[in-house]
Amino acid sequence: MKNSDGRRVAADNEVRILRALHRFGWLRTRDLAVLVWSTWARHPKGELSFAQVEPTASQLRMAQRTLRRLLEQRMVLRATAPDGAQIYAVAEPGARRLQDVGLPAASGKDLVRSFSASYYRHRCIANAIAVASIVQGYRVSTEREISRGAWAGGESGLAGKKPDVLLRSGSAWTWVEVERSRRNAKDYAALLNWLDWARSRLGRELAVGAVLEQVVFVCTEAFERRLRADLAGRGWNAQDAQRLIAYKTGAYSFQNISFGN
């Protein structure tokens, strides 16, 4: 009986990892350790923390063991990221296993084939924010889900824009943007125009039962200074800016992120 129970638990953990990879596209071992082996809060409590959640040694061991089994079964793909970390995505047999439980999954081989260091840093930060928020009890749309249109804003987004991560608590939406100090002029102008639109919608329904509560920029200090100045130049007063926008500049490094495995 114990062996049977152990196999059932192991199989459940395998499916949970595959589900997580389906939602996020790819993840590191440490992300999976937190996401699969942490106890999630049922509802958000207190102030939202954007800090990366560190896995325990036990959680890491469980994730490593489960990933080893999935690799042996060819259920997952493994690739080496620009910082040397191992990242994982769903392989074709893993996608079929998810399809058997009702998820329209597909192989993630194209997601881990090649990408730039800057894209990798951006996605790692977005994923870490999503994982931390899920553990804190928020309903989360990941960057991967949003990019595929699998979120409340659909393919077109809201006023033509999509967040990097969307957090929901009841009807309140927290829109998260992961930003470095540089954006091309066209994209930056579009961001400023969108923020003007968001200010006009503050406290009003964006969709049925959804209200934009805050836009959070996880960014460098240079980006915060520039955005504050440019919004002031567009006529934003300090009260409006403070009501809508928050900046998180100390949670992550955009230059020398050392993630490990």
Side-chain angles (χ1 to χ4, degrees):
M1 183 66 71
K2 286 185 178 180
N3 288 339
S4 177
D5 289 345
R7 285 193 295 269
R8 187 178 302 111
V9 170
D12 287 346
N13 287 338
E14 290 169 6
V15 171
R16 291 175 70 193
I17 279 186
L18 292 171
R19 284 178 179 271
L21 294 176
H22 170 66
R23 285 193 67 189
F24 283 79
W26 54 259
L27 287 167
R28 301 164 294 162
T29 309
R30 64 190 304 126
D31 301 319
L32 289 162
V34 172
L35 195 57
V36 175
W37 281 275
S38 291
T39 300
W40 301 356
R42 291 192 175 186
H43 304 286
K45 298 177 182 178
E47 185 178 355
L48 170 63
S49 172
F50 282 81
Q52 180 170 264
V53 180
E54 296 296 333
T56 66
S58 174
Q59 289 169 343
L60 271 176
R61 285 195 300 271
M62 292 298 295
Q64 289 163 347
R65 290 172 186 168
T66 307
L67 285 165
R68 193 177 303 119
R69 291 197 306 273
L70 288 168
L71 282 167
E72 290 170 353
Q73 299 170 52
R74 301 183 185 276
M75 296 279 177
V76 297
L77 302 166
R78 179 172 59 188
T80 302
D83 65 352
Q86 300 298 299
I87 58 176
Y88 298 86
V90 177
E92 190 62 44
R96 290 196 295 269
R97 187 168 177 182
L98 288 177
Q99 291 163 11
D100 288 342
V101 296
L103 282 178
S107 170
K109 62 182 179 181
D110 292 337
L111 303 176
V112 293
R113 216 164 243 170
S114 65
F115 40 74
S116 67
S118 61
Y119 162 83
Y120 173 71
R121 287 194 293 269
H122 184 283
R123 178 59 70 90
C124 273
I125 293 171
N127 284 351
I129 291 166
V131 169
S133 302
I134 289 170
V135 171
Q136 293 173 75
Y138 286 84
R139 296 175 63 194
V140 173
S141 297
T142 70
E143 186 170 20
R144 169 66 175 161
E145 290 171 324
I146 291 166
S147 70
R148 297 170 59 237
W151 70 297
E155 291 285 351
S156 59
L158 295 181
K161 181 166 176 54
K162 297 178 181 180
D164 290 319
V165 186
L166 183 70
L167 315 179
R168 291 168 290 163
S169 177
S171 63
W173 283 16
T174 299
W175 183 289
V176 182
E177 295 282 332
V178 178
E179 294 287 353
R180 302 181 73 189
S181 57
R182 295 179 182 177
R183 255 187 182 238
N184 68 51
K186 182 180 178 181
D187 287 348
Y188 187 68
L191 172 65
L192 294 174
N193 290 335
W194 185 84
L195 287 171
D196 286 338
W197 174 85
R199 179 177 60 165
S200 74
R201 303 296 300 180
L202 192 61
R204 297 165 59 189
E205 279 197 342
L206 299 174
V208 176
V211 176
L212 181 62
E213 184 172 74
Q214 196 169 53
V215 179
V216 178
F217 287 93
V218 178
C219 61
T220 62
E221 291 180 356
F223 184 88
E224 178 183 355
R225 288 194 299 269
R226 179 186 181 191
L227 186 58
R228 284 185 182 277
D230 289 341
L231 290 177
R234 293 167 75 93
W236 284 55
N237 60 46
Q239 183 178 5
D240 282 349
Q242 187 172 359
R243 282 180 63 207
L244 178 64
I245 300 172
Y247 301 92
K248 303 294 180 181
T249 59
Y252 298 90
S253 168
F254 287 82
Q255 298 300 322
N256 297 306
I257 301 172
S258 177
F259 286 116
N261 290 338

